[in-house]
């Protein structure tokens, strides 16, 4: 079983602390077994958490054999990192442990030096402070999370959910991650600077909305070459009204929604079939393999072949 150690530093943000605890403890494998053992660790017997004080059942030795360590955000990002915590994190990294941060948890993780030279993120409000404090980092305030392999960082609040679901998908595949997302009542497509790996097989349809029949129709016709005029005609409205309603009810223009839906379907096919990349591109409505590869890489950040090797 995969062990996740959540490191509670002084003045830990309760939301950031609870996110990995809830997500990982509720993750079940297809046979019903738990996917993770979660332990909360701290450097001191008691840790301040704003409205309450936390007594962690594990001390820093709980990090030693963990497969993953999560560093939640702290209320004061400029607080110095205790030497014993720094040493414990560096030792774990030396052993190959995966280490991730949520929100301002990037600050204490950066203080270890482990993130030097890497692209990272944090809450957008603190991105400037992070870049000034740690000039060796490549701080990207636009994305929801960054995966560097062994080290991962996420933006604030709900972006921690995106990060946890991404790690579950890395560990156990898309089906287990999708179940974990449903238990978290988490929307699987998020607007943001980074395309989300954790996406449901079908796009979010606002049930009961005026757009619901149209979105169902679009999903059923992904293989067709659809223009904005055709979509508006199917909806029985003008292009201008169509664009306005899409923005109001889905947060994105109709053609962008369609592109994302096609990429979602392609992700699912790459994970669950052995169809060629060329066939999958055609099946999801791209006119040429080159157009499909380019759109997939722009949206997901890797090529279809790399995605298949990672997640199939």
């Amino acid at each position: 079983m995969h062990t996740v150690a959540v490191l509670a530093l002084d003045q830990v943000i309760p939301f950031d602390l609870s996110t990995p605890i809830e997500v990982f403890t509720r993750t079940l494998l297809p046979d019903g077994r738990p996917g993770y053992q979660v332990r909360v660790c701290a450097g001191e017997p008691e840790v301040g958490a704003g409205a309450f004080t936390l007594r962690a059942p594990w001390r820093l030795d709980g990090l030693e054999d963990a497969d993953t360590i999560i560093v939640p955000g702290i209320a004061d990002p400029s607080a110095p990192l205790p030497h014993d915590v720094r040493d414990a994190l560096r030792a774990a990294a030396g052993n190959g442990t995966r280490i991730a941060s949520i929100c301002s948890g990037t600050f204490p993780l950066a203080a270890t030096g482990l993130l030097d030279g890497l692209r990272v993120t944090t809450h957008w409000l603190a991105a400037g402070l992070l870049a000034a404090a740690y000039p060796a980092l490549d701080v990207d305030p636009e994305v929801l999370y960054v995966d560097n392999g062994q080290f991962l960082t996420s933006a604030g609040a709900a972006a921690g959910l995106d990060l946890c679901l991404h790690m579950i998908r890395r560990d156990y595949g898309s089906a287990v991650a999708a179940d974990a997302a449903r238990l978290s009542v988490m929307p699987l497509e998020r607007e943001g600077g980074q395309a989300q790996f954790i996406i449901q097989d079908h796009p979010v349809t606002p049930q009961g909305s005026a757009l619901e029949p149209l979105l169902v129709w679009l999903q059923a016709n992904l293989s067709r070459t659809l223009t904005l005029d055709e979509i508006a005609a199917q909806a029985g409205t003008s292009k201008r009204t169509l664009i306005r309603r899409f923005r109001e009810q889905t947060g994105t223009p109709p053609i962008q929604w369609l592109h994302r839906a096609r990429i979602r379907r392609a992700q699912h096919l790459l994970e669950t079939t052995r169809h060629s990349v060329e066939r999958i591109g055609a099946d999801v409505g791209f006119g040429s393999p080159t157009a499909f590869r380019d759109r997939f890489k722009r949206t997901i950040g890797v090529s279809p072949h790399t995605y298949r090797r990672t997640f199939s």
Side-chain angles (χ1 to χ4, degrees), residues 159-229:
L161 282 167
D162 293 286
L163 178 64
C164 290
L165 293 172
H166 173 64
M167 288 190 285
I168 293 170
R169 189 166 188 166
R170 271 183 48 176
D171 295 338
Y172 293 116
S174 58
V176 173
D179 287 340
R182 281 190 286 270
L183 285 172
S184 299
V185 196
M186 178 67 184
L188 296 180
E189 179 178 357
R190 295 275 305 280
E191 288 298 314
Q194 175 172 318
Q196 294 306 290
F197 282 121
I198 308 305
I199 316 178
Q200 60 187 14
D201 295 337
H202 303 288
V204 176
T205 300
Q207 296 183 353
S209 75
L211 279 183
E212 181 180 0
L214 178 63
L215 299 186
V216 171
W217 179 82
L218 286 172
Q219 185 65 39
N221 288 274
L222 292 180
S223 61
R224 293 178 51 192
T225 301
L226 297 172
T227 66
L228 192 59
D229 287 327

Side-chain angles (χ1 to χ4, degrees), residues 61-288:
D61 57 354
L63 307 180
E64 294 175 0
D65 62 343
D67 300 291
T68 296
I69 297 172
I70 308 290
V71 184
I74 52 177
D76 180 8
S78 64
L81 184 67
H83 293 300
D84 57 346
V85 175
R86 180 200 61 196
D87 293 344
L89 289 173
R90 290 186 64 84
N95 291 329
T97 303
R98 181 173 63 184
I99 305 178
S101 65
I102 296 176
C103 193
S104 57
T106 305
F107 283 80
L109 185 53
T112 65
L114 295 170
L115 301 180
D116 286 0
L118 298 180
R119 177 170 168 259
V120 303
T121 194
T122 188
H123 194 293
W124 62 271
L125 280 173
L129 179 61
L130 180 67
Y134 300 100
L137 308 185
D138 177 11
V139 180
D140 187 344
E142 301 295 330
V143 297
L144 296 178
Y145 61 82
V146 177
D147 182 350
N148 288 294
Q150 184 179 7
F151 305 110
L152 304 91
T153 57
S154 71
L161 282 167
D162 293 286
L163 178 64
C164 290
L165 293 172
H166 173 64
M167 288 190 285
I168 293 170
R169 189 166 188 166
R170 271 183 48 176
D171 295 338
Y172 293 116
S174 58
V176 173
D179 287 340
R182 281 190 286 270
L183 285 172
S184 299
V185 196
M186 178 67 184
L188 296 180
E189 179 178 357
R190 295 275 305 280
E191 288 298 314
Q194 175 172 318
Q196 294 306 290
F197 282 121
I198 308 305
I199 316 178
Q200 60 187 14
D201 295 337
H202 303 288
V204 176
T205 300
Q207 296 183 353
S209 75
L211 279 183
E212 181 180 0
L214 178 63
L215 299 186
V216 171
W217 179 82
L218 286 172
Q219 185 65 39
N221 288 274
L222 292 180
S223 61
R224 293 178 51 192
T225 301
L226 297 172
T227 66
L228 192 59
D229 287 327
E230 290 175 298
I231 298 172
Q234 176 67 29
T237 187
S238 68
K239 290 191 293 184
R240 182 175 179 178
T241 300
L242 176 73
I243 293 170
R244 176 176 56 80
R245 288 179 178 173
F246 251 85
R247 287 191 177 278
E248 290 174 349
Q249 297 182 38
T250 72
T252 187
I255 295 301
Q256 184 176 342
W257 188 97
L258 185 61
H259 285 319
R260 288 176 180 243
R262 285 172 169 156
I263 295 302
R264 275 191 298 268
R265 175 71 63 80
Q267 286 179 287
H268 176 65
L269 293 174
L270 287 166
E271 294 170 9
T272 60
T273 75
R274 300 311 304 167
H275 298 334
S276 68
V277 169
E278 291 75 14
R279 174 178 170 179
I280 290 174
D283 287 347
V284 298
F286 287 92
S288 72

